[in-house]
Amino acid sequence: MTVSLVRAPVLGAKFALPDPPPGLVRRQRLTGRLDRGIQGPLTLVTGAAGSGKTALVASWARSRASSSPVVWLSLDEQDTPQSFWAHAVEGLRRAGVPVGSRGDGSDPGLPVRIAAALEELPAPLVLVLDGLDRVRGPAAASGLRFVVEHAGPAFRLVVIGRSEPALPLHRYRVEGRLAEIGGRELAFTRSEAARLLQTQGGRPPDERVVDLLLERTEGWAAGLRLCALAMARAGDPLEFAGSAAAARQAVSDYLLTEVLAVQPAASRELLLRAGVLGRVHPGLAAALTGRTDCEAVLHDLVRRHAFVEPVAGTRWFRVHPLFTAVLRGRLRSRQPALETLLHRRAARWYAAHCRTAEAVEEAAAGGEWPYAAAQAVRHLAVGPLLAGPAAAPPTAASPPTAAVPAAAPAAALARMPEHTPGAAAALVAAACCLARDDVAGCRARLPRAERELVHEPAAGPAELLTLELLRLLSAPGPAEADAAARRIAELVLLLPDEERARHPEIEPLCLYGRARALLCDGRIRAAREGLAEAVRACADGAPALLSRCLGRLALADAAAGALSAAEEHGTASLDAADRGGVPEENRSGAAWLALASVAVERGDLRTAAAHLDRAADHSDTLHDPVLAAERSALRAQLEVAGGRWHAALAVLDEPRPPGPPGAAARLAVAHAGAALAHGDHDTALTALRAVPEALPARTVLLAQAHLAAGQSAQALRLIERAEGSAEATLPDRVRLALLRAHCALLDGDEAAARDRLLHALDTARPELLRRPFAEAGPWLRHLAAGLNGHSSSYEWVTAAAPRAANGMPVEELSPREKEVLALVARMMSTEEVAAELRLSVNTVKTHMRGIFRKLGVSRRRDAVERARDLHVI
């Protein structure tokens, strides 16, 4: 110990328990840990500035004041080992520990005398040292180590600080003598954050506000409190919580003063230069700062709890996102030109370490668009962009030599200026259009890319493969798609083996593109086969692509009348997106359209309308011509079912750009169906001129029109021709059987008519296909009334939807909603249901809202009871 000849002054304020902050949230989960911790000799509470360390321990100490003595000692940067020991002796003396005269640190035997006095304690005593890491020099920790190890079983020490004290903690951990509360434990939970916000606002906060602020602050106590105070002054709490800039402004002064300013110069420089990126590798930090000791500096920042934490199992470090935003703002205000330079240096470092996504993001942040586009195309990052976000997005946890991440930086590339020069920029622009379902925009940009590639002698197989992939995925028909697929197969062979291995998405993208082109051409059977193959080829790491393939497959199933398969594949599409964490903006509405189609065909019109509304939330149902046509056709069918023929025709007559043959045929068939339902045969015949003659649905509608016009012979010839088509779908076959029945009835052969009706019912019943019967006309009810012993064969067609106790109709729950409700009935929380079904919490909440709406309730318990009454679960 250092000897001092000057007696250290003692300040009484250092022994006072800190006052609780306004609106203190008591956290039983942590005070309970403190209670358990002081069963041993040492408890360590460490965390970043403002993490609530002192408030927590002070609150706990105040609650123990009546049960056992707690000596509190607040320390700061002005304290020396001498003043520390002087205050420690005085604090113990005030608690009745007979240490002797007041110590001043000049006595080398003072730790021995303190330990000897503590060894004689008759009852437990707790000494809390708040800010031990601020005491200058190692002497205080050295003497404290002796006291801890020799003070006897009644002495309890609680140390609070931003960094760990210089004690042999590794040994204490092994011996089980150390209890710890760290930054992760100090982070506020959701319920704690809600209580904190309520203390500031005076009323329970909106759940969305809590979630947004908790996400931005990651549970940091001071950040939550500062945001809550600033939000109280804002006009719209939800708008404030959703604004990253507002959160940064609320905490900026605190972080700059309490965190950045107190760091050594080397740490401040590294934080300002490398911290703006959010994730830091020692090599990357070296490239940005020119220093050779970056790893040591980063580890020191971690030790100091300076909002930098290591990523487990790697050499990467992560900077708290709020601190990153504050550092970026500081750099811009002090050295505005440096940020651009740093991003460009980072782009080169990432590119040199085969991290294409990060290289593109940093080049874009630095305004180097040609370089960003060249990196994206050269390393085939357009493939992952079109396949959609990966199941496990790239993070700092990936080693620096990792393969190209499974998700291209779509947001960065989407900001690229339209007229950025170069073939790579033209290809990226086309890919960005396709990624947002703008097929026409993609095809409009491909000619420029082709011209640019001709003038770039350095263009290799990656550039050409990207061009062909874009051609394939935007192809209006099978011929162009097949040609592009053949060229892709040839170009893939020219890639290095390791490059091919890094891009498993190419094969399923090719299969998906070819099947999509078949759907565009209206070739349903071939499209189903191709989409099923694409589903099998999708890797586990491409949930967005898998979801899209399943959604389109469900649509093709529904068009073929395979309603059970459509329902299964549509639900699987939604589940794949949920499990993979695919953002809403990257999801397809195809599955919702397929489920709406199933509901329409089964006569469940309320469910169909609900699914159609969900489909409209996705951009591809508005921009993709096939999906847009399906959406319009389903809307028209719902209008027809409600007797609103004019509204149905108005939907189908809405102006739209020219689409592929399959989309045009779908709209024309729907138009003809709506016209026939209205009895307008001429309009139906005119609409059917736009439908290819080989399509059985056209022949069926023509036969229906002729029969309605009294031309039975001509209708029968058309029926015979359609019955021989291998492309006839289940709805086609059911309608043909009904037309046969109607013809027989008109000829007076009621027995043959009933046989044909029974055949139609037997054909439709496995899929519960009701729409053909609902649209057949009044003759069907007369014929069905004479089925006699076979009347049960018709009952399922007219079966009413389940009804609630109050007589209101109940919309059928989806299979996933039934699963969710069954788990809720077992008293599982939303989080437990999400974990059990491998869904996100928000998805479970969405399902619960749908359940509430369908069952006409507003509470979980009521939903369970209503479902049980209706035998739903």
Side-chain angles (χ1 to χ4, degrees), residues 605-621:
L605 304 183
R606 288 182 61 191
T607 297
H611 290 335
L612 206 52
D613 288 343
R614 293 296 301 271
D617 294 336
H618 302 277
S619 64
D620 60 348
T621 63

mmCIF file with all atom_site columns, all heavy atoms in Angstrom, residues 605-621:
data_model
loop_
_atom_site.group_PDB
_atom_site.id
_atom_site.type_symbol
_atom_site.label_atom_id
_atom_site.label_alt_id
_atom_site.label_comp_id
_atom_site.label_asym_id
_atom_site.label_entity_id
_atom_site.label_seq_id
_atom_site.pdbx_PDB_ins_code
_atom_site.Cartn_x
_atom_site.Cartn_y
_atom_site.Cartn_z
_atom_site.occupancy
_atom_site.B_iso_or_equiv
_atom_site.pdbx_formal_charge
_atom_site.auth_seq_id
_atom_site.auth_comp_id
_atom_site.auth_asym_id
_atom_site.auth_atom_id
_atom_site.pdbx_PDB_model_num
ATOM 1   N N   . LEU A 1 605 ? -68.089 -17.004 -48.050 1.00 0.00 ? 605 LEU A N   1
ATOM 2   C CA  . LEU A 1 605 ? -67.834 -15.696 -48.662 1.00 0.00 ? 605 LEU A CA  1
ATOM 3   C C   . LEU A 1 605 ? -67.206 -14.709 -47.687 1.00 0.00 ? 605 LEU A C   1
ATOM 4   O O   . LEU A 1 605 ? -66.385 -13.876 -48.082 1.00 0.00 ? 605 LEU A O   1
ATOM 5   C CB  . LEU A 1 605 ? -69.131 -15.132 -49.224 1.00 0.00 ? 605 LEU A CB  1
ATOM 6   C CG  . LEU A 1 605 ? -69.838 -16.051 -50.245 1.00 0.00 ? 605 LEU A CG  1
ATOM 7   C CD1 . LEU A 1 605 ? -71.073 -15.370 -50.795 1.00 0.00 ? 605 LEU A CD1 1
ATOM 8   C CD2 . LEU A 1 605 ? -68.886 -16.445 -51.374 1.00 0.00 ? 605 LEU A CD2 1
ATOM 9   N N   . ARG A 1 606 ? -67.565 -14.779 -46.405 1.00 0.00 ? 606 ARG A N   1
ATOM 10  C CA  . ARG A 1 606 ? -66.967 -13.846 -45.435 1.00 0.00 ? 606 ARG A CA  1
ATOM 11  C C   . ARG A 1 606 ? -65.473 -14.121 -45.296 1.00 0.00 ? 606 ARG A C   1
ATOM 12  O O   . ARG A 1 606 ? -64.654 -13.200 -45.255 1.00 0.00 ? 606 ARG A O   1
ATOM 13  C CB  . ARG A 1 606 ? -67.660 -13.974 -44.086 1.00 0.00 ? 606 ARG A CB  1
ATOM 14  C CG  . ARG A 1 606 ? -69.071 -13.391 -44.057 1.00 0.00 ? 606 ARG A CG  1
ATOM 15  C CD  . ARG A 1 606 ? -69.673 -13.508 -42.671 1.00 0.00 ? 606 ARG A CD  1
ATOM 16  N NE  . ARG A 1 606 ? -68.889 -12.788 -41.692 1.00 0.00 ? 606 ARG A NE  1
ATOM 17  C CZ  . ARG A 1 606 ? -69.064 -12.899 -40.381 1.00 0.00 ? 606 ARG A CZ  1
ATOM 18  N NH1 . ARG A 1 606 ? -69.977 -13.713 -39.902 1.00 0.00 ? 606 ARG A NH1 1
ATOM 19  N NH2 . ARG A 1 606 ? -68.312 -12.211 -39.546 1.00 0.00 ? 606 ARG A NH2 1
ATOM 20  N N   . THR A 1 607 ? -65.113 -15.393 -45.202 1.00 0.00 ? 607 THR A N   1
ATOM 21  C CA  . THR A 1 607 ? -63.688 -15.726 -45.109 1.00 0.00 ? 607 THR A CA  1
ATOM 22  C C   . THR A 1 607 ? -62.966 -15.315 -46.380 1.00 0.00 ? 607 THR A C   1
ATOM 23  O O   . THR A 1 607 ? -61.836 -14.805 -46.332 1.00 0.00 ? 607 THR A O   1
ATOM 24  C CB  . THR A 1 607 ? -63.523 -17.236 -44.868 1.00 0.00 ? 607 THR A CB  1
ATOM 25  O OG1 . THR A 1 607 ? -64.125 -17.562 -43.622 1.00 0.00 ? 607 THR A OG1 1
ATOM 26  C CG2 . THR A 1 607 ? -62.060 -17.626 -44.838 1.00 0.00 ? 607 THR A CG2 1
ATOM 27  N N   . ALA A 1 608 ? -63.607 -15.529 -47.522 1.00 0.00 ? 608 ALA A N   1
ATOM 28  C CA  . ALA A 1 608 ? -62.985 -15.138 -48.792 1.00 0.00 ? 608 ALA A CA  1
ATOM 29  C C   . ALA A 1 608 ? -62.699 -13.642 -48.820 1.00 0.00 ? 608 ALA A C   1
ATOM 30  O O   . ALA A 1 608 ? -61.614 -13.209 -49.242 1.00 0.00 ? 608 ALA A O   1
ATOM 31  C CB  . ALA A 1 608 ? -63.895 -15.528 -49.954 1.00 0.00 ? 608 ALA A CB  1
ATOM 32  N N   . ALA A 1 609 ? -63.670 -12.850 -48.371 1.00 0.00 ? 609 ALA A N   1
ATOM 33  C CA  . ALA A 1 609 ? -63.468 -11.395 -48.363 1.00 0.00 ? 609 ALA A CA  1
ATOM 34  C C   . ALA A 1 609 ? -62.337 -11.007 -47.421 1.00 0.00 ? 609 ALA A C   1
ATOM 35  O O   . ALA A 1 609 ? -61.515 -10.124 -47.745 1.00 0.00 ? 609 ALA A O   1
ATOM 36  C CB  . ALA A 1 609 ? -64.762 -10.704 -47.955 1.00 0.00 ? 609 ALA A CB  1
ATOM 37  N N   . ALA A 1 610 ? -62.260 -11.670 -46.269 1.00 0.00 ? 610 ALA A N   1
ATOM 38  C CA  . ALA A 1 610 ? -61.184 -11.362 -45.310 1.00 0.00 ? 610 ALA A CA  1
ATOM 39  C C   . ALA A 1 610 ? -59.829 -11.710 -45.902 1.00 0.00 ? 610 ALA A C   1
ATOM 40  O O   . ALA A 1 610 ? -58.862 -10.936 -45.792 1.00 0.00 ? 610 ALA A O   1
ATOM 41  C CB  . ALA A 1 610 ? -61.406 -12.136 -44.015 1.00 0.00 ? 610 ALA A CB  1
ATOM 42  N N   . HIS A 1 611 ? -59.722 -12.870 -46.543 1.00 0.00 ? 611 HIS A N   1
ATOM 43  C CA  . HIS A 1 611 ? -58.447 -13.255 -47.147 1.00 0.00 ? 611 HIS A CA  1
ATOM 44  C C   . HIS A 1 611 ? -58.078 -12.317 -48.302 1.00 0.00 ? 611 HIS A C   1
ATOM 45  O O   . HIS A 1 611 ? -56.897 -11.998 -48.500 1.00 0.00 ? 611 HIS A O   1
ATOM 46  C CB  . HIS A 1 611 ? -58.518 -14.690 -47.657 1.00 0.00 ? 611 HIS A CB  1
ATOM 47  C CG  . HIS A 1 611 ? -58.577 -15.722 -46.568 1.00 0.00 ? 611 HIS A CG  1
ATOM 48  N ND1 . HIS A 1 611 ? -58.069 -15.492 -45.307 1.00 0.00 ? 611 HIS A ND1 1
ATOM 49  C CD2 . HIS A 1 611 ? -59.076 -16.991 -46.544 1.00 0.00 ? 611 HIS A CD2 1
ATOM 50  C CE1 . HIS A 1 611 ? -58.251 -16.563 -44.552 1.00 0.00 ? 611 HIS A CE1 1
ATOM 51  N NE2 . HIS A 1 611 ? -58.862 -17.479 -45.279 1.00 0.00 ? 611 HIS A NE2 1
ATOM 52  N N   . LEU A 1 612 ? -59.075 -11.895 -49.036 1.00 0.00 ? 612 LEU A N   1
ATOM 53  C CA  . LEU A 1 612 ? -58.803 -10.986 -50.150 1.00 0.00 ? 612 LEU A CA  1
ATOM 54  C C   . LEU A 1 612 ? -58.288 -9.645  -49.635 1.00 0.00 ? 612 LEU A C   1
ATOM 55  O O   . LEU A 1 612 ? -57.400 -9.024  -50.251 1.00 0.00 ? 612 LEU A O   1
ATOM 56  C CB  . LEU A 1 612 ? -60.080 -10.798 -50.968 1.00 0.00 ? 612 LEU A CB  1
ATOM 57  C CG  . LEU A 1 612 ? -59.935 -10.428 -52.438 1.00 0.00 ? 612 LEU A CG  1
ATOM 58  C CD1 . LEU A 1 612 ? -59.009 -11.378 -53.156 1.00 0.00 ? 612 LEU A CD1 1
ATOM 59  C CD2 . LEU A 1 612 ? -61.291 -10.401 -53.109 1.00 0.00 ? 612 LEU A CD2 1
ATOM 60  N N   . ASP A 1 613 ? -58.819 -9.199  -48.508 1.00 0.00 ? 613 ASP A N   1
ATOM 61  C CA  . ASP A 1 613 ? -58.305 -7.962  -47.895 1.00 0.00 ? 613 ASP A CA  1
ATOM 62  C C   . ASP A 1 613 ? -56.845 -8.136  -47.472 1.00 0.00 ? 613 ASP A C   1
ATOM 63  O O   . ASP A 1 613 ? -56.036 -7.219  -47.632 1.00 0.00 ? 613 ASP A O   1
ATOM 64  C CB  . ASP A 1 613 ? -59.162 -7.588  -46.682 1.00 0.00 ? 613 ASP A CB  1
ATOM 65  C CG  . ASP A 1 613 ? -60.534 -7.071  -47.071 1.00 0.00 ? 613 ASP A CG  1
ATOM 66  O OD1 . ASP A 1 613 ? -60.716 -6.703  -48.251 1.00 0.00 ? 613 ASP A OD1 1
ATOM 67  O OD2 . ASP A 1 613 ? -61.433 -7.063  -46.206 1.00 0.00 ? 613 ASP A OD2 1
ATOM 68  N N   . ARG A 1 614 ? -56.513 -9.308  -46.917 1.00 0.00 ? 614 ARG A N   1
ATOM 69  C CA  . ARG A 1 614 ? -55.116 -9.547  -46.525 1.00 0.00 ? 614 ARG A CA  1
ATOM 70  C C   . ARG A 1 614 ? -54.209 -9.566  -47.741 1.00 0.00 ? 614 ARG A C   1
ATOM 71  O O   . ARG A 1 614 ? -53.072 -9.081  -47.699 1.00 0.00 ? 614 ARG A O   1
ATOM 72  C CB  . ARG A 1 614 ? -55.006 -10.877 -45.769 1.00 0.00 ? 614 ARG A CB  1
ATOM 73  C CG  . ARG A 1 614 ? -55.684 -10.898 -44.412 1.00 0.00 ? 614 ARG A CG  1
ATOM 74  C CD  . ARG A 1 614 ? -55.038 -9.931  -43.433 1.00 0.00 ? 614 ARG A CD  1
ATOM 75  N NE  . ARG A 1 614 ? -53.646 -10.200 -43.222 1.00 0.00 ? 614 ARG A NE  1
ATOM 76  C CZ  . ARG A 1 614 ? -53.162 -11.027 -42.296 1.00 0.00 ? 614 ARG A CZ  1
ATOM 77  N NH1 . ARG A 1 614 ? -54.004 -11.663 -41.497 1.00 0.00 ? 614 ARG A NH1 1
ATOM 78  N NH2 . ARG A 1 614 ? -51.865 -11.194 -42.147 1.00 0.00 ? 614 ARG A NH2 1
ATOM 79  N N   . ALA A 1 615 ? -54.693 -10.139 -48.831 1.00 0.00 ? 615 ALA A N   1
ATOM 80  C CA  . ALA A 1 615 ? -53.881 -10.184 -50.056 1.00 0.00 ? 615 ALA A CA  1
ATOM 81  C C   . ALA A 1 615 ? -53.563 -8.780  -50.552 1.00 0.00 ? 615 ALA A C   1
ATOM 82  O O   . ALA A 1 615 ? -52.466 -8.519  -51.065 1.00 0.00 ? 615 ALA A O   1
ATOM 83  C CB  . ALA A 1 615 ? -54.612 -10.979 -51.139 1.00 0.00 ? 615 ALA A CB  1
ATOM 84  N N   . ALA A 1 616 ? -54.511 -7.868  -50.390 1.00 0.00 ? 616 ALA A N   1
ATOM 85  C CA  . ALA A 1 616 ? -54.311 -6.503  -50.883 1.00 0.00 ? 616 ALA A CA  1
ATOM 86  C C   . ALA A 1 616 ? -53.218 -5.764  -50.127 1.00 0.00 ? 616 ALA A C   1
ATOM 87  O O   . ALA A 1 616 ? -52.726 -4.731  -50.594 1.00 0.00 ? 616 ALA A O   1
ATOM 88  C CB  . ALA A 1 616 ? -55.626 -5.722  -50.789 1.00 0.00 ? 616 ALA A CB  1
ATOM 89  N N   . ASP A 1 617 ? -52.799 -6.290  -48.975 1.00 0.00 ? 617 ASP A N   1
ATOM 90  C CA  . ASP A 1 617 ? -51.731 -5.647  -48.206 1.00 0.00 ? 617 ASP A CA  1
ATOM 91  C C   . ASP A 1 617 ? -50.356 -5.878  -48.832 1.00 0.00 ? 617 ASP A C   1
ATOM 92  O O   . ASP A 1 617 ? -49.377 -5.274  -48.393 1.00 0.00 ? 617 ASP A O   1
ATOM 93  C CB  . ASP A 1 617 ? -51.716 -6.185  -46.770 1.00 0.00 ? 617 ASP A CB  1
ATOM 94  C CG  . ASP A 1 617 ? -52.965 -5.794  -45.993 1.00 0.00 ? 617 ASP A CG  1
ATOM 95  O OD1 . ASP A 1 617 ? -53.593 -4.788  -46.371 1.00 0.00 ? 617 ASP A OD1 1
ATOM 96  O OD2 . ASP A 1 617 ? -53.311 -6.491  -45.026 1.00 0.00 ? 617 ASP A OD2 1
ATOM 97  N N   . HIS A 1 618 ? -50.268 -6.758  -49.811 1.00 0.00 ? 618 HIS A N   1
ATOM 98  C CA  . HIS A 1 618 ? -48.977 -7.109  -50.406 1.00 0.00 ? 618 HIS A CA  1
ATOM 99  C C   . HIS A 1 618 ? -48.877 -6.523  -51.814 1.00 0.00 ? 618 HIS A C   1
ATOM 100 O O   . HIS A 1 618 ? -49.802 -6.642  -52.619 1.00 0.00 ? 618 HIS A O   1
ATOM 101 C CB  . HIS A 1 618 ? -48.808 -8.619  -50.438 1.00 0.00 ? 618 HIS A CB  1
ATOM 102 C CG  . HIS A 1 618 ? -48.891 -9.246  -49.083 1.00 0.00 ? 618 HIS A CG  1
ATOM 103 N ND1 . HIS A 1 618 ? -47.817 -9.308  -48.222 1.00 0.00 ? 618 HIS A ND1 1
ATOM 104 C CD2 . HIS A 1 618 ? -49.934 -9.799  -48.409 1.00 0.00 ? 618 HIS A CD2 1
ATOM 105 C CE1 . HIS A 1 618 ? -48.190 -9.882  -47.095 1.00 0.00 ? 618 HIS A CE1 1
ATOM 106 N NE2 . HIS A 1 618 ? -49.471 -10.198 -47.182 1.00 0.00 ? 618 HIS A NE2 1
ATOM 107 N N   . SER A 1 619 ? -47.725 -5.931  -52.102 1.00 0.00 ? 619 SER A N   1
ATOM 108 C CA  . SER A 1 619 ? -47.591 -5.173  -53.346 1.00 0.00 ? 619 SER A CA  1
ATOM 109 C C   . SER A 1 619 ? -47.703 -6.049  -54.581 1.00 0.00 ? 619 SER A C   1
ATOM 110 O O   . SER A 1 619 ? -48.152 -5.585  -55.632 1.00 0.00 ? 619 SER A O   1
ATOM 111 C CB  . SER A 1 619 ? -46.245 -4.428  -53.353 1.00 0.00 ? 619 SER A CB  1
ATOM 112 O OG  . SER A 1 619 ? -45.157 -5.350  -53.356 1.00 0.00 ? 619 SER A OG  1
ATOM 113 N N   . ASP A 1 620 ? -47.301 -7.326  -54.495 1.00 0.00 ? 620 ASP A N   1
ATOM 114 C CA  . ASP A 1 620 ? -47.317 -8.129  -55.716 1.00 0.00 ? 620 ASP A CA  1
ATOM 115 C C   . ASP A 1 620 ? -48.731 -8.406  -56.215 1.00 0.00 ? 620 ASP A C   1
ATOM 116 O O   . ASP A 1 620 ? -48.938 -8.639  -57.407 1.00 0.00 ? 620 ASP A O   1
ATOM 117 C CB  . ASP A 1 620 ? -46.534 -9.433  -55.540 1.00 0.00 ? 620 ASP A CB  1
ATOM 118 C CG  . ASP A 1 620 ? -47.077 -10.323 -54.439 1.00 0.00 ? 620 ASP A CG  1
ATOM 119 O OD1 . ASP A 1 620 ? -47.915 -9.839  -53.650 1.00 0.00 ? 620 ASP A OD1 1
ATOM 120 O OD2 . ASP A 1 620 ? -46.649 -11.483 -54.357 1.00 0.00 ? 620 ASP A OD2 1
ATOM 121 N N   . THR A 1 621 ? -49.727 -8.367  -55.345 1.00 0.00 ? 621 THR A N   1
ATOM 122 C CA  . THR A 1 621 ? -51.100 -8.583  -55.809 1.00 0.00 ? 621 THR A CA  1
ATOM 123 C C   . THR A 1 621 ? -51.620 -7.380  -56.590 1.00 0.00 ? 621 THR A C   1
ATOM 124 O O   . THR A 1 621 ? -52.660 -7.475  -57.245 1.00 0.00 ? 621 THR A O   1
ATOM 125 C CB  . THR A 1 621 ? -52.043 -8.862  -54.634 1.00 0.00 ? 621 THR A CB  1
ATOM 126 O OG1 . THR A 1 621 ? -52.097 -7.723  -53.779 1.00 0.00 ? 621 THR A OG1 1
ATOM 127 C CG2 . THR A 1 621 ? -51.578 -10.071 -53.840 1.00 0.00 ? 621 THR A CG2 1
#
